[in-house]
Amino acid sequence: PLPVGNTGAPDNLVGVVAHLPGLSRFEAPMLVENINYFAGLRGFAELLRVVQEHRPNYDLAPAASVMSLVVKVRVQGYLLPDKFSYIVEELQEAVVGSLENMTEEDMRRLKKDVVEDVFRMLRRMLEAVMTESKAGHVVELLWLRMAYKSFRCPYFEKKRLGINYINEMIDMVHRAQQRYEEREHIQRRSVSRASPGGTVTFTNVMGPHGPTGNYARWVDERYLSSWLVERNIVGQIFSASAHEHIINQSTEILRFLATQNLLEATDLADIWKCGSVAHDSVRSAVTRVLGDCVTCLSFERMNELLAFITEIPLAEVTASFFPVLIDVIRYASVEHRRRAMDYLWDLIISRDVSLDVCGRAYNAILENLKLIWFETERDKWVTRIVEAIYKREAVSYIWRILGAIIETYPRKATPALEELVTKEMVVVRLQQEYNVMTSLFFDELREFKKESRRASQEYATDVDLNALVLTRSARQTYVNEIRNRLFILQYFLKHHPPMETSLFVALWDSLVEDKLTTRESDECWLWFRYGRNDQNGCVMIGDDTAEVIFRKRMLAYPFRDMTPTAFDTLKQYFVDVNVLKGKLEVTKAGAEKSHWEWQVAEEDPIGHAGLWDIVMDCLDPQVVEAATKFLHDEIDNAADSLLSVMSRDQLRQGLVHTCLEYLVEEGQAVVSLRKTLAGSGRSDEKLTEESEFHLHRIYRCLSLVRTKLEAEGGMGPWSHLCQSRGKPLNAIVKEVAPAELTEPYTKLRERGAHLRSSSYKGRAPSEGDGEEEGAGA
């Protein structure tokens, strides 16, 4: 027996409280007897007392357990209805009283999972004695009171919990509306299919989940929006003490009020003020939330929001404002979009904004150029861009914007729409009215280069100028400024007849001959390479221009400074021009001319001597290796027409002969320099820079010969006869280990590679050979 104290509990919970419902053959009489025995010992009365008098106030776990027990017994039908109703009333009063009388300390210690269990059990318990709507009225209003109490709590975690409770109620209201619409749809469809006089039964396809059910039973959109407005939830969230995490959770509240047209101008002003004066993290949170709510705002609110944004001084604009501005442009009216695009334009051309802000404004403009509404704005923007280029305002970005605007025009007119303005027509009009491709582009490029060179003098020689923004009109690093200008010129040439050759030469002279950095030169070399490729039926650089550029500019380039990018372009033009002149034959063509397969049809192609200069003088080993291979390819790819004139062995002899001529010339230069140094009394080890240069060329010759001999089957002793100053010369190349041959020549010269000059002819060299004047190194 359970001990029973003097509880003073009501007598109607003592005695018989359960019965057999007679609903199933699986009923348990013994369970009914035990329930009544428990009640006779005042067990239910004691449980009720525990809930009513529990302390501390925040400990609601017993209440959840008692309600769960009562609901289980009632669901099986054993409790008498009047007894169950009495228990429900008492438990409801006790739970509601506990929740409403909680202090701030109680709220701080209250656990979230306990609260959800209490509300879940309370809802289920009430729905057993009343309709869903009435039960929802009690539980949902209590839930909102609990949410507001948590939100007003001074503890941060409880504030977040309060916002979560409100967001959950908003979600349940949305689900209730969705459920209502689905129910109406199903009912209409069922009525249309039902037989005359038939009945329609609607089943609940959405079962209850969550602390108060997964849809609201009583609270609707109107009540919830009024509740939020009356308590000024928005004003409290975006107050002077706003926190970024609280703001991030307020998105659903703002979206809900906006859809109900209850987000007033004062609310929007409070939100914007909070983001304007608060910390950067809060400002970012505010702009992020506003961006998420733009789609729900009315045009009136969008106009007010846009006014707030465009009133910000340009120098104070930060990256956090752009998501809002972009969304306003995407969803606002055409008039609002124009205002936003004009503001973005002002950001680009302003010299008071940061480069990051300028870049974001540029990207935002590019994103909106593709929208249909912008078609009516294109002519105005083209005029604006040309005027800005004349004023030299953010030119690189503006050139790209101009190209993006042209890209929005159709490529060609259709038979149904013959009056359409095409890309080509726009480019031609720009050239006719503004000389975009001639004076405007090249004059601006010349001024930009002049300002950049003047600004570069302020930096040390070891500073990478490519990574710097050199001029006030620039918005990007130096190399990106150059790249953008080349891009727009390439774009114009794709939709316009080819430029005059003199303009291509002027471009080369500006970016290669008068280069400020090597990367600038490489960008120009690369541009000329792509200019000869077929791009959708368009070749920017014509055959005559290509020949002029190759003969008068590329072959005159200082090969000592040649880079891999430059050599790849030179190689492509070598093949291209020689094919045009019939000195090379193409065996396999393609869109990329650098991938053509070719054969040499005539001896000594155009530019052949330039390849030798690259091998001898270039400081980049990668370029030297590529040029050496190209010289060998000329022999290996000899066409039948050339082989009918001279054999492949003769071609090889010609290559070696050229190597030995270089060896003799450079060896004599080194000997002469050594004698000069010896006469001055300086040490032989301290060679001058000129002497090192000649030794470097000797090493390149030996490397080229070695590469050729290895390709033909080995490095045995081998000799070749040639002339030196009219005297017979016999060069003997001895076998040297590959590791030794790749070392600098200052070590190699002592390890068995010798060039000797003597008066003998057809005999083996003797010990004394090579000691007279004129001997090689």
Side-chain angles (χ1 to χ4, degrees):
L2 293 175
V4 179
N6 185 15
T7 63
D11 293 337
N12 59 355
L13 290 181
V14 179
V16 178
V17 298
H19 69 126
L20 291 172
L23 300 176
S24 172
R25 61 189 182 90
F26 297 106
E27 293 172 349
M30 183 61 71
L31 177 59
V32 172
E33 183 178 343
N34 285 331
I35 292 174
N36 287 326
Y37 177 70
F38 179 73
L41 295 175
R42 310 179 71 84
F44 282 101
E46 184 66 16
L47 290 176
L48 187 59
R49 184 191 65 80
V50 169
V51 175
Q52 292 172 335
E53 300 178 4
H54 79 280
R55 292 294 182 273
N57 209 26
Y58 62 82
D59 188 9
L60 293 175
S65 300
V66 171
M67 287 189 290
S68 176
L69 172 65
V70 172
V71 168
K72 287 180 181 179
V73 176
R74 174 56 186 164
V75 167
Q76 296 180 14
Y78 292 115
L79 284 181
L80 293 171
D82 58 329
K83 304 295 184 181
F84 179 69
S85 298
Y86 178 79
I87 294 175
V88 169
E89 292 176 6
E90 294 296 323
L91 288 175
Q92 175 188 343
E93 182 180 353
V95 170
V96 171
S98 296
L99 291 174
E100 293 186 341
N101 293 327
M102 283 190 176
T103 63
E104 292 180 353
E105 180 62 22
D106 292 334
M107 292 294 298
R108 185 182 70 84
R109 303 182 66 176
L110 183 63
K111 296 181 179 179
K112 180 177 180 292
D113 55 343
V114 173
V115 174
E116 294 178 351
D117 287 342
V118 167
F119 274 90
R120 188 180 297 108
M121 290 300 105
L122 180 62
R123 179 188 60 79
R124 292 186 62 188
M125 189 176 66
L126 292 178
E127 287 181 351
V129 296
M130 60 183 71
T131 62
E132 274 192 351
S133 178
K134 291 182 179 180
H137 179 264
V138 175
V139 176
E140 291 164 12
L141 292 187
L142 181 61
W143 181 263
L144 288 176
R145 290 199 295 272
M146 191 67 185
Y148 189 66
K149 196 177 185 70
S150 299
F151 175 67
R152 294 287 296 169
C153 190
Y155 302 107
F156 174 71
E157 288 300 327
K158 293 303 172 183
K159 282 183 175 292
R160 291 185 61 182
L161 193 59
I163 295 291
N164 284 337
Y165 289 158
I166 296 174
N167 288 336
E168 188 166 345
M169 181 56 69
I170 292 174
D171 185 59
M172 290 191 296
V173 169
H174 287 326
R175 289 176 180 270
Q177 181 65 26
Q178 179 184 358
R179 181 176 183 272
Y180 173 79
E181 294 172 357
E182 290 179 358
R183 182 171 182 171
E184 289 293 314
H185 173 71
I186 294 174
Q187 196 167 11
R188 286 194 300 269
R189 192 170 63 178
S190 300
V191 168
S192 64
R193 295 179 180 179
S195 58
T199 59
V200 176
T201 302
F202 176 77
T203 58
N204 182 9
V205 297
M206 299 176 66
H209 299 91
T212 60
N214 70 336
Y215 63 92
R217 272 73 166 178
W218 188 84
V219 173
D220 56 10
E221 293 177 343
R222 181 178 180 182
Y223 180 87
L224 183 56
S225 57
S226 300
W227 185 88
L228 292 169
V229 172
E230 290 172 2
R231 287 157 182 78
N232 191 24
I233 298 298
V234 173
Q236 295 187 59
I237 292 175
F238 295 92
S239 63
S241 59
H243 193 282
E244 58 178 306
H245 294 298
I246 301 296
I247 293 175
N248 286 331
Q249 291 180 281
S250 65
T251 302
E252 291 302 321
I253 296 175
L254 296 182
R255 289 175 62 89
F256 178 75
L257 289 175
T259 56
Q260 302 300 313
N261 291 323
L262 290 175
L263 190 64
E264 302 295 339
T266 54
D267 296 326
L268 200 59
D270 290 340
I271 296 172
W272 190 257
K273 181 180 179 181
C274 176
S276 301
V277 302
H279 189 267
D280 289 344
S281 60
V282 175
R283 183 184 300 113
S284 299
V286 169
T287 53
R288 188 182 307 113
V289 169
L290 285 175
D292 293 338
C293 298
V294 166
T295 56
C296 302
L297 296 177
S298 63
F299 282 158
E300 184 179 3
R301 295 289 91 82
M302 282 188 181
N303 189 25
E304 294 166 357
L305 180 57
L306 185 58
F308 287 137
I309 297 175
T310 53
E311 288 174 1
I312 303 174
L314 297 179
E316 298 178 8
V317 175
T318 62
S320 60
F321 291 109
F322 281 93
V324 185
L325 187 57
I326 292 173
D327 286 331
V328 169
I329 298 175
R330 184 180 296 121
Y331 298 108
S333 64
V334 173
E335 182 59 32
H336 297 160
R337 290 171 176 173
R338 289 195 187 101
R339 290 178 57 188
M341 290 288 282
D342 290 342
Y343 187 68
L344 290 172
W345 173 265
D346 292 339
L347 287 174
I348 285 182
I349 65 175
S350 173
R351 298 184 178 183
D352 298 326
V353 302
S354 66
L355 294 179
D356 178 53
V357 169
C358 186
R360 290 175 182 270
Y362 163 74
N363 290 329
I365 288 178
L366 291 186
E367 184 177 341
N368 287 278
L369 294 180
K370 306 171 185 178
L371 302 179
I372 295 177
W373 74 273
F374 190 76
E375 291 183 359
T376 58
E377 307 291 313
R378 292 183 296 200
D379 290 342
K380 181 184 75 173
W381 272 71
V382 168
T383 304
R384 169 188 283 181
I385 287 172
V386 173
E387 293 175 353
I389 294 174
Y390 276 118
K391 297 177 182 178
R392 305 203 64 250
E393 297 174 328
V395 176
S396 65
Y397 277 150
I398 292 177
W399 277 124
R400 296 296 292 262
I401 294 173
L402 179 60
I405 292 176
I406 298 174
E407 192 63 25
T408 62
Y409 287 89
R411 185 177 180 183
K412 59 181 180 180
T414 60
L417 298 172
E418 296 181 354
E419 297 180 356
L420 279 179
V421 178
T422 63
K423 294 181 175 68
E424 182 176 346
M425 295 169 62
V426 175
V427 173
V428 171
R429 180 170 64 87
L430 286 172
Q431 176 63 17
Q432 292 174 347
E433 296 181 6
Y434 304 107
N435 291 322
V436 171
M437 293 174 56
T438 52
S439 61
L440 182 60
F441 177 86
F442 286 96
D443 290 347
E444 190 282 321
L445 178 61
R446 190 180 306 109
E447 290 298 319
F448 171 73
K449 289 293 299 290
K450 186 185 301 181
E451 288 185 16
S452 299
R453 185 170 295 280
R454 186 166 52 247
S456 66
Q457 297 174 359
E458 301 176 3
Y459 298 94
T461 56
D462 59 343
V463 174
D464 183 11
L465 299 178
N466 296 298
L468 299 179
V469 180
L470 294 178
T471 66
R472 283 182 56 81
S473 63
R475 292 296 181 271
Q476 293 180 297
T477 60
Y478 180 73
V479 69
N480 284 332
E481 292 278 341
I482 295 295
R483 189 178 292 130
N484 279 344
R485 286 165 171 80
L486 290 174
F487 170 82
I488 193 62
L489 183 60
Q490 175 181 339
Y491 185 85
F492 284 149
L493 291 174
K494 286 171 59 178
H495 303 287
H496 190 273
M499 290 194 308
E500 297 178 1
T501 300
S502 60
L503 294 177
F504 286 103
V505 173
L507 180 67
W508 177 278
D509 292 343
S510 177
L511 300 184
V512 178
E513 301 296 332
D514 189 33
K515 65 182 177 182
L516 191 57
T517 69
T518 302
R519 283 190 62 186
E520 171 190 357
S521 173
D522 277 353
E523 290 293 333
C524 187
W525 279 95
L526 191 63
W527 188 88
F528 272 91
R529 186 196 312 172
Y530 291 150
R532 284 295 291 168
N533 291 329
D534 188 347
Q535 301 175 3
N536 298 322
C538 173
V539 178
M540 297 189 304
I541 302 175
D543 295 343
D544 294 339
T545 300
E547 183 178 355
V548 170
I549 293 294
F550 179 63
R551 286 177 177 269
K552 297 185 178 181
R553 288 298 183 269
M554 292 185 178
L555 294 180
Y557 185 76
F559 297 125
R560 184 183 181 89
D561 302 326
M562 178 156 284
T563 64
T565 300
F567 181 75
D568 287 342
T569 303
L570 176 71
K571 185 171 63 174
Q572 177 176 316
Y573 272 70
F574 179 95
V575 175
D576 204 357
V577 172
N578 279 287
V579 168
L580 292 173
K581 296 301 180 180
K583 292 182 175 294
L584 265 66
E585 298 175 354
V586 177
T587 58
K588 182 179 180 181
E592 294 285 341
K593 293 190 176 183
S594 59
H595 297 160
W596 281 6
E597 295 181 6
W598 47 271
Q599 290 182 339
V600 180
E602 294 183 10
E603 187 182 5
D604 195 20
I606 302 172
H608 177 77
L611 294 175
W612 277 98
D613 291 338
I614 293 173
V615 172
M616 293 294 104
D617 298 339
C618 184
L619 298 178
D620 191 314
Q622 183 178 347
V623 174
V624 173
E625 181 181 356
T628 301
K629 181 179 183 303
F630 201 79
L631 285 174
H632 294 323
D633 289 342
E634 286 185 342
I635 298 174
D636 296 338
N637 295 337
D640 293 338
S641 57
L642 178 59
L643 293 178
S644 64
V645 177
M646 61 175 55
S647 67
R648 201 180 302 274
D649 287 338
Q650 289 177 311
L651 294 175
R652 296 191 183 104
Q653 290 290 327
L655 183 144
V656 177
H657 184 84
T658 305
C659 281
L660 294 178
E661 287 181 341
Y662 272 110
L663 284 171
V664 171
E665 179 182 351
E666 302 305 322
Q668 292 170 347
V670 171
V671 169
S672 176
L673 284 170
R674 284 180 171 177
K675 288 184 177 181
T676 303
L677 290 172
S680 63
R682 298 175 59 185
S683 173
D684 185 65
E685 295 298 329
K686 297 180 179 180
L687 296 176
T688 63
E689 181 180 352
E690 185 178 358
S691 178
E692 289 288 351
F693 170 73
H694 291 296
L695 291 174
H696 181 79
R697 289 167 66 93
I698 291 172
Y699 171 69
R700 291 283 175 81
C701 286
L702 294 175
S703 299
L704 192 150
V705 173
R706 170 180 175 270
T707 303
K708 187 60 184 174
L709 293 177
E710 284 184 336
E712 295 180 3
M715 284 278 293
W718 182 86
S719 64
H720 182 82
L721 292 175
C722 64
Q723 296 290 322
S724 172
R725 295 183 179 179
K727 298 180 180 181
L729 179 132
N730 187 21
I732 299 179
V733 182
K734 296 184 178 180
E735 185 172 1
V736 182
E740 296 177 351
L741 195 56
T742 56
E743 294 178 4
Y745 183 77
T746 52
K747 295 182 180 179
L748 178 67
R749 59 191 175 89
E750 301 175 356
R751 298 194 180 184
H754 301 284
L755 183 66
R756 306 184 186 276
S757 178
S758 63
S759 59
Y760 67 84
K761 181 176 181 181
R763 65 177 179 83
S766 63
E767 291 294 331
D769 290 337
E771 296 179 359
E772 60 182 327
E773 179 178 337

